Amino acid sequence: MDTLTGPAEVIQTSAIALDKLDYDAWLACFTEECSYEITTHQNEVNHWPCGLMHAFSKNQLRDRIASITTVNIYEPHRYRHILSQSHQSKDSLNSIWITGFSVYRITLGKPTILFVTGEYRDQFKFEHSGVTILSRQIVLDNDQIDTLLAIPL
Amino acid sequence: MDTLTGPAEVIQTSAIALDKLDYDAWLACFTEECSYEITTHQNEVNHWPCGLMHAFSKNQLRDRIASITTVNIYEPHRYRHILSQSHQSKDSLNSIWITGFSVYRITLGKPTILFVTGEYRDQFKFEHSGVTILSRQIVLDNDQIDTLLAIPL
Amino acid sequence: MDTLTGPAEVIQTSAIALDKLDYDAWLACFTEECSYEITTHQNEVNHWPCGLMHAFSKNQLRDRIASITTVNIYEPHRYRHILSQSHQSKDSLNSIWITGFSVYRITLGKPTILFVTGEYRDQFKFEHSGVTILSRQIVLDNDQIDTLLAIPL
């Protein structure tokens, strides 16, 4: 595992790791005390809680990965992330990196479909040993989410 | 509003501003004497005028924004821009930044659809106070444009 | 033709050249002793040979271009490449640049369709005269490829 030395590199690596189903490489993008949440634009606008997926530590992300790699009750599939250019927001005290994305779902023997669009809102932890994700909030554009949200985004 | 210090930053900011329906942030990306035009590849190849949208000053862009924020005759929707990597063309006297994009349209209670694909061709004004768009030509790939082109791209 | 001075610039230029049907600009992105291959994820996983397209020198790419520009047996169409952020992999002796992409196919009078998704895996040759592609492997996500793969990706 290489040391990741910048936010852009971490964002790219996390997406490509999922596309390769390389969950170890994905987990390596997060710091131990990280938070990770998937919600929707409508949830956010209406101040509804109820994210589609959330974890409040890297161990919870590990549990999630363990469950999807050991219990295969869903049809095997992969993602393809297309990341728009990242944008560093300086509105707040903490820098947030916003990255729009589209994710396609690839299933053997079926047409590729547009799965979701949305944006990452990432905050990072900068250490001599490298850069890792401290907080990732994922806001999906559409409320009509396929129930098949097994693999993280 | 932050000062934007480079073309890539302005391109990203203009797209993310529209996706958030933050029209002030979008307008801030343009200089006062800007031009803005949306046309199609077929129009361009055939040297047909008739862009789908055009403005020859920032005030005309302000008028456009005023009309869509006060007269809501269309179904409320949002965009999600996915920007390809930008490419700086050095063919001409003036540098043109070309950025391919796909734009999805998100409507509450409906599936997200691919709205348009095309490219930005941007020229910039560089000042001590920041970088702004001097000229944006948007060339859409497909002639079959939905009539619902209300929000700028 | 400008000299391309970095891998990212070459990746962008090669995609935009194809989108403009500017095959000379596309060919200029490759070195003479290049290799170019299109395969699928399933082919790769199963160690099957049989790429969808391959060339083992720039002259073979020139032949390919000559055939598509002189023999028009297919319906005229263009592409729109949307490139995700590139990621430089340092796993091996040689740096490989991985770039996810989606490609849309645009045909006059028809709706734009998502044609393929996949990734470039590029190796470069660095010379004083500029940077060129030494090896490009294209791995498509889906096996269900349209037979109409005439233009390189």
Side-chain angles (χ1 to χ4, degrees):
Chain A
M1 186 60 53
D2 297 303
T3 301
L4 300 172
T5 53
E9 211 176 342
V10 177
I11 295 167
Q12 297 154 15
T13 300
S14 70
I16 286 180
L18 289 179
D19 291 355
K20 292 197 291 183
L21 302 177
D22 183 350
Y23 298 119
D24 287 338
W26 181 71
L27 285 168
C29 295
F30 292 86
T31 195
E32 285 296 334
E33 68 277 22
C34 66
S35 71
Y36 176 95
E37 184 194 32
I38 304 178
T39 188
T40 68
H41 178 74
Q42 274 302 102
N43 276 0
E44 185 175 54
V45 164
N46 294 300
H47 304 291
W48 293 331
C50 179
L52 298 170
M53 196 185 288
H54 51 248
F56 302 106
S57 70
K58 189 163 172 173
N59 276 333
Q60 289 187 9
L61 290 180
R62 289 189 183 100
D63 289 346
R64 178 88 200 180
I65 294 302
S67 75
I68 61 173
T69 52
T70 55
V71 188
N72 272 310
I73 57 164
Y74 60 89
E75 186 176 25
H77 60 271
R78 293 185 306 119
Y79 293 150
R80 167 64 61 190
H81 287 73
I82 304 293
L83 303 184
S84 187
Q85 296 176 23
S86 292
H87 170 74
Q88 190 179 359
S89 172
K90 292 163 242 163
D91 300 348
S92 57
L93 279 177
N94 299 308
S95 271
I96 298 179
W97 291 70
I98 298 176
T99 310
F101 61 75
S102 57
V103 176
Y104 298 94
R105 189 162 65 197
I106 298 122
T107 311
L108 190 59
K110 294 195 176 174
T112 294
I113 60 157
L114 175 67
F115 182 42
V116 289
T117 64
E119 69 187 34
Y120 292 128
R121 297 179 193 165
D122 294 327
Q123 290 182 278
F124 294 92
K125 186 176 183 182
F126 297 86
E127 294 175 296
H128 285 295
S129 55
V131 177
T132 46
I133 300 171
L134 182 61
S135 163
R136 167 163 283 181
Q137 187 189 23
I138 303 178
V139 183
L140 302 181
D141 290 320
N142 199 315
D143 256 38
Q144 303 192 317
I145 304 303
D146 197 300
T147 51
L148 197 55
L149 183 55
I151 303 173
L153 287 168
Chain B
M1 185 61 52
D2 297 305
T3 301
L4 301 171
T5 54
E9 212 177 341
V10 177
I11 295 167
Q12 297 153 14
T13 300
S14 69
I16 286 180
L18 289 180
D19 292 355
K20 291 196 291 185
L21 303 177
D22 183 349
Y23 298 120
D24 288 337
W26 181 72
L27 285 167
C29 294
F30 293 86
T31 194
E32 285 296 333
E33 69 277 23
C34 67
S35 71
Y36 175 94
E37 185 194 31
I38 304 178
T39 188
T40 67
H41 177 74
Q42 275 300 104
N43 275 0
E44 184 175 55
V45 164
N46 294 301
H47 305 289
W48 291 332
C50 180
L52 298 170
M53 197 185 287
H54 51 248
F56 302 106
S57 71
K58 188 163 171 172
N59 276 333
Q60 289 186 10
L61 291 181
R62 289 189 182 99
D63 289 346
R64 178 88 201 179
I65 294 303
S67 76
I68 59 173
T69 51
T70 54
V71 188
N72 273 309
I73 57 165
Y74 59 89
E75 186 176 26
H77 59 270
R78 293 185 306 120
Y79 293 150
R80 168 63 62 188
H81 286 73
I82 304 292
L83 303 184
S84 188
Q85 296 176 22
S86 293
H87 170 75
Q88 190 179 1
S89 173
K90 292 163 241 163
D91 300 348
S92 58
L93 279 177
N94 299 308
S95 272
I96 298 179
W97 291 69
I98 299 176
T99 309
F101 62 76
S102 57
V103 175
Y104 297 94
R105 189 163 64 198
I106 297 121
T107 312
L108 190 60
K110 292 194 177 178
T112 294
I113 60 157
L114 175 68
F115 182 43
V116 288
T117 65
E119 68 186 36
Y120 293 128
R121 297 178 193 165
D122 294 327
Q123 291 184 279
F124 294 92
K125 185 174 185 184
F126 297 85
E127 293 175 298
H128 285 295
S129 55
V131 177
T132 45
I133 299 171
L134 183 60
S135 163
R136 166 163 283 183
Q137 188 189 21
I138 303 178
V139 184
L140 303 182
D141 290 319
N142 199 315
D143 256 38
Q144 304 193 314
I145 304 304
D146 198 299
T147 51
L148 195 56
L149 184 56
I151 304 173
L153 286 169
Chain C
M1 186 61 53
D2 297 304
T3 302
L4 301 172
T5 53
E9 211 177 343
V10 177
I11 294 167
Q12 296 155 14
T13 301
S14 70
I16 285 179
L18 288 180
D19 291 354
K20 291 196 292 185
L21 302 177
D22 183 348
Y23 297 120
D24 287 338
W26 181 71
L27 284 168
C29 295
F30 293 86
T31 196
E32 285 296 333
E33 69 277 23
C34 66
S35 71
Y36 175 94
E37 186 194 31
I38 303 178
T39 189
T40 68
H41 177 74
Q42 274 302 102
N43 275 0
E44 185 177 54
V45 164
N46 294 300
H47 305 289
W48 292 332
C50 178
L52 298 170
M53 196 185 288
H54 51 248
F56 302 105
S57 72
K58 188 163 171 172
N59 275 333
Q60 289 187 10
L61 291 180
R62 290 189 181 98
D63 289 347
R64 178 88 200 180
I65 294 303
S67 76
I68 60 173
T69 52
T70 56
V71 188
N72 272 311
I73 56 167
Y74 60 88
E75 185 175 25
H77 59 270
R78 292 184 307 119
Y79 293 151
R80 168 63 61 189
H81 286 72
I82 305 293
L83 304 184
S84 187
Q85 296 177 22
S86 293
H87 170 74
Q88 191 179 359
S89 172
K90 292 163 238 161
D91 300 348
S92 59
L93 279 176
N94 300 307
S95 272
I96 298 180
W97 291 68
I98 299 176
T99 310
F101 61 76
S102 56
V103 176
Y104 297 94
R105 190 162 65 198
I106 298 122
T107 310
L108 191 59
K110 294 192 176 178
T112 294
I113 59 158
L114 174 68
F115 182 41
V116 288
T117 64
E119 68 187 36
Y120 293 128
R121 298 179 193 165
D122 294 328
Q123 290 182 279
F124 294 92
K125 187 176 182 181
F126 296 86
E127 293 174 299
H128 285 296
S129 55
V131 177
T132 46
I133 299 172
L134 183 61
S135 164
R136 168 163 282 182
Q137 189 189 21
I138 303 177
V139 183
L140 303 181
D141 288 322
N142 199 314
D143 256 36
Q144 304 193 316
I145 304 304
D146 197 298
T147 51
L148 196 56
L149 183 55
I151 303 171
L153 285 169

